[in-house]
Amino acid sequence: MAHRSSAPESEPEIRFLGYLAEFDTTRKLLAACNQIRQAGYKKTDAYTPFPVHGIDGALGIKRTKLPFLVLGVGLVAVAVGIGMQWYVNGPTEDFWPFPGYTFRIGGMPEWSLPANIPVTFEIIVLLSAFATFFGMWAFNRLPQLSNPLFRLDRFKRVTSDRFFLMIDSDDPIFDETQTREQLEQAGAIMVERVDHDMSDAKLPGFLKPLTVCMLCLALLPPALIYRARGMTNPEPRLHAVPDMDWQDKSKSQTVSPLLEVAATTPTFLFGDGRAMRPDVAGSVAWGELSTDDRFYRGYEPGTFPTADAGSDENDVKPEPQWLTTFPDEVEIGDDLFKRGQNRYNIYCALCHGYAGYGDGLVTRRAMSLNIQGKGAWTQTKSLHDPAVVAQPVGRLYDTISNGRNSMGPYRAQIPEADRWAIVFYLKALQATNTAKIGETTAAVNSVDAVVAGSKNTDKDFGERE
Amino acid sequence: MGTETKRAVTSTQINLGALRNPLLIGGGAAGVLGLCCGALLSMGQGEDWYQKFSASYLVSFCFFMSISLGGLFWVTAMHLTRAGWGICVRRLCEILAMMALPMLVLFLPILIPVVLGWNSSVYSWVNIENITHARDLVEHKAGYLNSGFFTVRSILYFVIWGLLARFYLKNSVNQDSSRDPNTTLKLQSFSAPGMLLFALTVVFASFDWEMSLDPLWFSTMFPVYFFAGGVLGSLCVLTITSVSLQKSGRLTEDITTEHYHDLGKLTFGFVFFWAYIAFSQYLLIWYANIPEETSWFLYRQEGDWQMASIVLIAGHLIVPFFAIMPRTLRRNKTYMAFASIFILVMCWFDHFWLVMPQFRQEFGVIPADVLCLVGLGGLFVASFAWIAGDKSLIPEGDPRLYESLSYHNV
């Protein structure tokens, strides 16, 4: 390259590439290949109009390593396919750079292997095909934009009825006279010296600026897309698939399809005039039977007061018999404590405060508004209030589920198991306030496992102790 | 270097010859002994012993039947595609296909209780009044699932398979002496309708014999699954038969590494085809999640049968897939014979997995299962020897035999 760039452009640079031997039958070509291989030549290649059986062995070409490349890529594709779907759809909540979409499709678990196998399979097929195709290019050093042999007139018959064997001049045992003789002895009808003028193998001068131009143009679409993100458009949207956009169906919460309008009363498809069919009486959604009063509602089975029980003269609302111990489904331990702490800090701490003294951020703000006369907020209850400490766990659970006074119900936001975890954490919070070091109080006694868990968080409440 | 063309068969012995009688007697003896012991063992198991025995019997029957059908498939497919490579092993396929006739006799222990309407029939729909669970749904299917129609259909399948197999084998054997190229043209021209007949009969046979064991369950993918297993099994049987014939000094020169390589490639392909079909069937049912479809899989996926499903995935897909992937191993006929035996065991286990959960709570292979396999296997070998007789084991008269003899993989 260095030499060429210093030389004047017009001066031809001739390189001797090797000898090209011509044969008129495959048999002669194969025989010649065998002889040349046995003579020790390595840098040889044969050119034929059609695939010739046995030419690989005759030329001494080893079996291709392509299958191993494809197998390797195929195995990588398994990891890529599974990994991609796990990252995008799996439960990867805190995963960089975005948390993924945890869609629940068809009621299946968010992450389930059967759903991901077809995509993985297709990725294996795609990447393996790429590996085969481009690996074949790489092993054959393709694409080769020009081949010096194409300039030889004789070589043009390689597409119809002639067979050629080329020996490269780079071969270690290549010799200008001896190689020619060997080829002639091997039965070549003609041996041609291939000299090639390398000077015109240079790329045309306009190609570089053109490539740069094309690359710049190729940046336009992504740039436009980038600019368009977040933009709004006053035009009505395009309807590419009209029968998907306007479907012949009734949506929920709409009027039943009208069959005919009689003289006075219209006739609906459904007599009650609703498009949506109500559930069959007594039907229960899958997994929502929740018959267990202890776990789902926090009181002993069958102790819920009947409707007329509340109308006594004292007007004291009768209460069911609240659970004093955790139901059997709740597994007491560190895990429950940590879960409870996590949920408490999310749902409860805003008002009740991290330590439960009713001094959460919302409460503080509300109280300051009260002082300024801009509101009439109720002070959030301290969870260390003796009345609250005295409440049985079932009652606390019920408060979380259904709310009390100005506190709203949380049963829609917090699943049952998490509510019990919060109750457990709450009991631990209360214990940190009432228990003295080395002393066992009644509060701790009832939930003695709590203490083990709350020790872990002592440092969080250190200043209060 | 593959340029020389081999024009004629050069092995010294190309028929069973002296091997025929030992195979007939040994296979027959093993068959009778195995089946009798299996039946005797089962008899001690209470009133419905016959149902338990015929469940074990059905597993092995369907296994060997699917192999015979695989043979018929390969003959038809080779003619349909004018395949050159496989002519050397086509006679073995023709014999396998012809074994549909002895299989008809072996089907009688399943068929007779259906015809006579015994309560101990392996199919619960024979006496609908005994069904307790969702009987009205089974009654809806009674137009198809009834003893009479089932019998007519079963006989029809065997008639079609027998006629097809006889057509292929007889013409091919005649060609051995006549060397008439027109015979090949005739066989080829008939193979397209033959393939249609084959497809239709296999579809309904698999519905009838294995899918109807659970009369409530249905899957349109099931016949393809049955077919995939049978084709895979027949490839393994071809490999094993060729290797053992060559070990005994038959066909030594004419079935070459190239043919084993091709059989190996097809085995590899059908191992994956089986898994592809199995998963296609599973995925749709799993995703749709409709109780009447999932119950069949749920029973095999959870509890005691879970282990059987895991064995099937590992043994029928993962192990063979990697074991016969390397080219060098596929070109080693001894290795391929052992791999084929392993895959055959898995094919049998596949039928076990299809049939047995309908009859047993817990997963386990009992002696009666093995005895039925041995018994039917013995009769299978004996009928192979009986049909092969003194026929040449290679279609000597095929005008394109040289293509197969001098065949080379690139």
Side-chain angles (χ1 to χ4, degrees), chain B residues 64-76 90-104 157-158 160-169 198 234 237-238 380 384 387:
Chain B
F64 287 112
M65 193 67 237
S66 72
I67 290 172
S68 167
L69 289 173
L72 183 56
F73 169 76
W74 284 117
V75 181
T76 318
R90 204 187 64 216
R91 179 58 52 80
L92 297 177
C93 297
E94 286 161 359
I95 296 171
L96 273 184
M98 198 61 209
M99 277 146 85
L101 278 193
M103 291 311 278
L104 169 60
Y157 305 147
F158 280 108
I160 290 174
W161 297 334
L163 286 178
L164 277 176
R166 188 164 173 278
F167 171 72
Y168 287 124
L169 182 63
F198 170 82
S234 68
V237 167
L238 280 183
F380 197 70
F384 179 88
I387 291 167

Side-chain angles (χ1 to χ4, degrees), chain B residues 63 233 235-237 239-241 243-244 267 315 334-348:
Chain B
F63 168 64
L235 283 170
C236 295
V237 167
T239 307
I240 297 168
T241 317
V243 171
S244 19
T267 309
T334 319
Y335 177 84
M336 281 309 293
F338 281 107
S340 299
I341 291 173
F342 176 80
I343 297 173
L344 268 187
V345 171
M346 278 301 143
C347 284
W348 176 83

Side-chain angles (χ1 to χ4, degrees), chain A residues 76-387:
Chain A
V76 169
V78 176
V80 169
I82 299 269
M84 181 187 79
Q85 293 170 88
W86 175 78
Y87 175 55
V88 175
N89 289 334
T92 48
E93 281 173 20
D94 306 318
F95 214 70
W96 182 89
F98 75 87
Y101 310 99
T102 44
F103 286 130
R104 198 173 275 268
I105 302 165
M108 296 300 177
E110 285 157 3
W111 172 250
S112 45
L113 201 54
N116 299 307
I117 285 179
V119 172
T120 310
F121 179 79
E122 298 305 337
I123 287 178
I124 296 171
V125 172
L126 180 72
L127 294 193
S128 302
F130 280 163
T132 316
F133 187 64
F134 293 111
M136 186 271 288
W137 278 28
F139 284 137
N140 286 311
R141 290 190 215 99
L142 290 173
Q144 203 170 9
L145 294 178
S146 84
N147 189 328
L149 294 180
F150 290 161
R151 298 163 187 237
L152 303 176
D153 277 342
R154 283 189 158 273
F155 190 70
K156 285 176 181 150
R157 287 180 77 176
V158 77
T159 57
S160 54
D161 62 344
R162 282 289 190 269
F163 308 87
F164 292 89
L165 174 63
M166 171 91 180
I167 301 184
D168 224 86
S169 60
D170 294 344
D171 199 285
I173 59 167
F174 187 87
D175 181 90
E176 270 203 64
T177 49
Q178 212 186 331
T179 305
R180 177 184 273 273
E181 277 168 23
Q182 278 171 330
L183 280 172
E184 276 162 0
Q185 279 165 15
I189 50 177
M190 172 79 194
V191 177
E192 192 165 351
R193 201 187 139 93
V194 184
D195 290 306
H196 184 45
D197 179 3
M198 302 298 283
S199 59
D200 60 353
K202 272 202 315 188
L203 287 177
F206 66 88
L207 214 55
K208 239 181 215 171
L210 185 71
T211 314
V212 173
C213 272
M214 296 302 274
L215 283 176
C216 289
L217 284 177
L219 283 175
L220 270 179
L224 285 175
I225 291 170
Y226 183 78
R227 187 174 153 266
R229 86 193 201 293
M231 269 170 50
T232 51
N233 190 343
E235 297 294 316
R237 59 168 288 210
L238 297 173
H239 291 281
V241 193
D243 59 347
M244 225 164 102
D245 293 337
W246 298 290
Q247 296 179 20
D248 194 10
K249 69 174 185 187
S250 297
K251 295 195 171 173
S252 51
Q253 314 287 1
T254 56
V255 178
S256 165
L258 198 61
L259 289 185
E260 60 177 302
V261 184
T264 48
T265 48
T267 311
F268 294 110
L269 179 60
F270 298 114
D272 60 0
R274 286 191 281 192
M276 188 166 68
R277 296 292 83 215
D279 289 339
V280 176
S283 59
V284 177
W286 186 262
E288 290 184 8
L289 187 56
S290 40
T291 48
D292 181 5
D293 280 341
R294 293 169 60 85
F295 181 69
Y296 288 102
R297 284 169 286 277
Y299 51 76
E300 292 295 343
T303 60
F304 193 76
T306 47
D308 54 331
S311 58
D312 62 346
E313 64 277 14
N314 296 329
D315 201 28
V316 176
K317 205 179 164 198
E319 298 215 339
Q321 189 187 334
W322 299 114
L323 287 194
T324 51
T325 55
F326 287 89
D328 298 339
E329 290 88 338
V330 179
E331 201 179 315
I332 307 290
D334 277 2
D335 288 344
L336 186 70
F337 177 83
K338 282 176 188 145
R339 181 68 184 167
Q341 184 178 37
N342 175 281
R343 295 293 106 175
Y344 178 91
N345 290 348
I346 290 172
Y347 290 109
C348 316
L350 273 177
C351 293
H352 287 286
Y354 284 101
Y357 287 93
D359 56 354
L361 281 176
V362 172
T363 311
R364 288 191 212 173
R365 171 77 175 146
M367 289 306 110
S368 72
L369 288 176
N370 275 359
I371 292 164
Q372 294 163 33
K374 290 179 184 170
W377 302 79
T378 315
Q379 164 78 43
T380 308
K381 198 156 213 162
S382 166
L383 300 173
H384 300 279
D385 185 305

Side-chain angles (χ1 to χ4, degrees), chain B residues 72 76 125 145 181 225 244 362 364 374 395 399:
Chain B
L72 183 56
T76 318
W125 47 260
L145 286 182
Y225 183 81
S244 19
E362 58 291 310
V374 171

Side-chain angles (χ1 to χ4, degrees), chain B residues 3-10 179 254 395-396 398-406:
Chain B
T3 47
E4 66 281 357
T5 305
K6 197 176 154 189
R7 292 263 158 207
V9 174
T10 50
R179 314 263 155 163
D254 301 314
E396 302 170 75
D398 194 294
R400 290 186 299 120
L401 180 63
Y402 74 92
E403 254 184 61
S404 187
L405 288 173
S406 49

